[in-house]
Amino acid sequence: MKWQNLPRWARDTISVVGAMAVLLVIYDAFFAKHVNWVLVPIQIVVALLAVGVWSYFSYRSQQKRKLAEQQKAEAAKQRQEKREAEKVAGAKMAAATREKNLARNQAHQQRRND
């Protein structure tokens, strides 16, 4: 399995727990006085599980938030386009009404002058 084929949350989990495992082994080997070496692999597996679950839900939450922001931006863009279309339609209607009123007023003025 290639490293790049793993999901990002899994790669991050493995890299973080790998670094923690190295530090744990170094600490146990050089600084701890009474080391129970049976617990070291158990601690690493528990760390993999804990960090993996947290990382998975964190990335899933980020993806949901990004999707919601994209949908919000798309909706705002559609509202803006709709407003502009309504503005253009309103301007056309106002021009048509202005022309109609102008023609009516000119006809009205001619009848008065006759």
Side-chain angles (χ1 to χ4, degrees), residues 53-82:
V53 167
W54 176 83
S55 187
Y56 172 76
F57 285 112
S58 174
Y59 278 100
R60 192 173 78 168
S61 173
Q62 288 175 5
Q63 289 175 343
K64 285 182 180 179
R65 188 170 42 251
K66 285 180 185 178
L67 181 62
E69 288 173 2
Q70 287 175 351
Q71 289 174 344
K72 193 175 185 180
E74 183 70 27
K77 183 179 177 183
Q78 288 177 353
R79 282 193 306 271
Q80 181 64 27
E81 289 173 355
K82 184 179 177 183

Side-chain angles (χ1 to χ4, degrees), residues 1-8 10-11:
M1 175 171 36
K2 294 201 179 215
W3 180 254
Q4 295 300 324
N5 292 342
L6 289 173
R8 183 173 173 167
R11 287 182 289 177

